[in-house]
């Protein structure tokens, strides 16, 4: 009976695991292999060059800039996005004042409307969001500088995407705006599963909003927060940051490589410069950074599981 059960499980998983190995694991192995060659990506011919690409990468100033920017994305974007999402979700679900003839635990007034507003960016593709903000950041006719002029701040007219000191922060602001709604919905679902009796007991003991959040909501929601942290970090290191930087910035990646991130640099080397082998080398470095980020977050966020 046991033998038949295991045979059924293996048969059930064989096809999904085979597809995963073919379309996920095998490309990783190929990328690592090609990183030791001089393949251009345009010809089937190549030769092994050992660690030459890795030595070149370590001497590449633009690579180090892209690595710095990617690490900044991975460290700051999850902190800002998840902090905002937790605050908004808490206020929408349990942060309201007690009303007469109403439930003891409720969100702020208009919470249903706020849920729609926060989730709205998820309806738009990241390409559309990037285009909209590229127009908004235009220093001459963009909405942001027009508002500044309208309120009398004519002397404050930043170049935004044209300023090397501001461009990266402007891009990060777009990523926060476009992703925070997803985590508001995610955390709201988690908060809805927390028994209302816990909040009511805390209110009877005189706990305020801050105490309720840090002593009840955050500990019981910690597993969801940790998963969201890893997910947001991977988004910041991967496709989301590539799309926004590629569409919004000059170059793209400019000015003066001030917004170049690792995934964009991989794309440029592979498809613009015809240096596929060197691009896969940078891709291997990006893989290591991503895995290290996930491992560190999971290790630092480990704590005793709370049940209710």
């Amino acid at each position: 009976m046991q033998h038949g059960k295991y045979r059924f499980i293996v048969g059930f998983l064989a096809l999904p695991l085979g597809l995963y190995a073919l379309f996920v694991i095998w490309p990783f192995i190929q990328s690592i292999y090609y990183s030791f060659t001089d393949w251009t990506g345009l010809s089937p011919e190549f030769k092994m060059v050992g660690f030459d690409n890795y030595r070149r990468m370590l001497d590449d100033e633009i690579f180090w800039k892209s690595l710095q920017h990617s690490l900044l994305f991975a460290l700051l974007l999850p902190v800002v996005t998840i902090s905002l999402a937790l605050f908004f979700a808490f206020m929408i679900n349990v942060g309201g004042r007690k009303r007469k003839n109403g439930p003891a635990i409720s969100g702020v007034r208009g919470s249903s409307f706020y849920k729609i507003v926060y989730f709205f960016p998820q309806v738009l593709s990241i390409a559309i969001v990037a285009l909209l903000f590229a127009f908004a950041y235009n220093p001459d006719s963009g909405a942001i500088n027009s508002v500044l002029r309208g309120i009398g701040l004519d002397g404050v007219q930043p170049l935004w995407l044209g300023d090397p000191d501001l461009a990266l922060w402007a891009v990060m602001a777009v990523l926060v705006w476009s992703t925070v709604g997803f985590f508001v919905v995610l955390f709201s679902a988690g908060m809805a599963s927390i028994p209302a009796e816990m909040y009511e007991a805390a209110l009877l003991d005189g706990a305020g909003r801050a105490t309720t959040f840090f002593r009840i909501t955050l500990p019981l929601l910690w597993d969801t927060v940790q998963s969201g942290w890893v997910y947001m970090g991977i988004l910041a290191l991967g496709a989301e940051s590539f799309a926004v930087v590629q569409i919004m910035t000059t170059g793209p990646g400019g000015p003066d490589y001030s917004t170049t991130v690792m995934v964009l640099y991989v794309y440029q080397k592979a498809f613009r410069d015809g240096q596929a082998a060197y691009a896969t080398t940078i891709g291997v470095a990006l893989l290591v950074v991503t895995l290290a980020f996930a491992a560190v977050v999971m290790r630092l966020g480990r704590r005793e599981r709370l049940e209710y």
Side-chain angles (χ1 to χ4, degrees):
M1 191 68 180
Q2 285 290 104
H3 179 71
K5 182 181 72 173
Y6 290 129
R7 186 167 56 188
F8 171 77
I9 293 174
V10 171
F12 186 75
L13 293 178
L15 180 60
L17 289 177
L19 292 174
Y20 182 81
L22 178 62
F23 293 107
V24 178
I25 303 299
W26 180 242
F28 281 138
I29 296 174
Q30 283 184 309
S31 297
I32 295 172
Y33 172 76
Y34 283 125
S35 70
F36 293 101
T37 70
D38 64 350
W39 185 44
T40 64
L42 304 174
S43 168
E45 298 179 358
F46 59 86
K47 65 179 181 180
M48 301 298 294
V49 295
F51 288 93
D52 288 357
N53 287 323
Y54 289 93
R55 283 190 287 267
R56 175 187 171 186
M57 181 180 70
L58 295 177
D59 293 332
D60 189 346
E61 182 180 352
I62 301 174
F63 164 76
W64 288 109
K65 280 188 175 182
S66 68
L67 175 60
Q68 179 184 353
H69 299 155
S70 292
L71 290 177
L72 195 62
F73 272 47
L75 295 175
L76 289 185
L77 279 175
V79 173
V80 177
T81 303
I82 290 178
S83 297
L84 287 174
L86 281 171
F87 173 75
F88 292 146
F90 181 77
M91 298 305 293
I92 286 173
N93 290 276
V94 297
R97 299 292 184 185
K98 187 179 184 307
R99 306 186 187 101
K100 293 181 180 179
N101 302 321
I105 302 300
S106 63
V108 297
R109 293 185 184 277
S111 57
S112 299
F113 172 74
Y114 293 140
K115 288 180 182 179
I116 297 173
V117 171
Y118 294 141
F119 190 72
F120 174 72
Q122 296 300 308
V123 179
L124 304 174
S125 73
I126 191 64
I128 294 175
V129 170
L131 282 173
L132 290 174
F133 273 91
F135 289 125
Y137 280 132
N138 188 293
D140 299 320
S141 58
I144 298 177
N145 280 4
S146 296
V147 170
L148 293 176
R149 286 192 295 268
I151 61 177
L153 296 177
D154 297 50
V156 183
Q157 296 290 296
L159 295 177
W160 299 113
L161 298 175
D163 187 340
D165 296 327
L166 287 178
L168 189 67
W169 302 105
V171 169
M172 291 176 66
V174 175
L175 286 171
V176 171
W177 185 87
S178 65
T179 54
V180 70
F182 170 80
F183 292 100
V184 169
V185 174
L186 179 67
F187 296 148
S188 293
M191 291 178 191
S193 66
I194 299 175
E197 292 80 5
M198 291 188 173
Y199 291 111
E200 292 171 356
L203 291 177
L204 289 174
D205 290 339
R209 287 175 175 172
T211 303
T212 302
F213 175 78
F214 286 106
R215 295 299 180 90
I216 298 178
T217 305
L218 188 58
L220 294 178
L221 209 63
W222 186 253
D223 288 343
T224 305
V225 172
Q226 188 181 45
S227 300
W229 201 290
V230 174
Y231 178 68
M232 185 62 210
I234 293 173
L235 283 182
L237 289 168
E240 294 286 312
S241 61
F242 166 77
V244 174
V245 174
Q246 171 75 9
I247 294 170
M248 292 180 61
T249 61
T250 58
D256 193 26
Y257 301 104
S258 61
T259 57
T260 300
V261 290
M262 291 181 72
V263 66
L264 174 67
Y265 199 39
V266 170
Y267 171 83
Q268 290 175 335
K269 286 299 174 184
F271 298 103
R272 184 191 67 186
D273 302 337
Q275 301 175 16
Y278 185 53
T280 59
T281 306
I282 303 170
V284 171
L286 178 59
L287 172 64
V288 172
V289 170
T290 304
L291 292 176
F293 170 81
V296 169
V297 171
M298 297 300 291
R299 181 71 180 89
L300 294 179
R302 184 183 301 173
R303 58 186 296 171
E304 184 179 353
R305 184 181 181 88
L306 299 177
E307 296 182 359
Y308 51 91

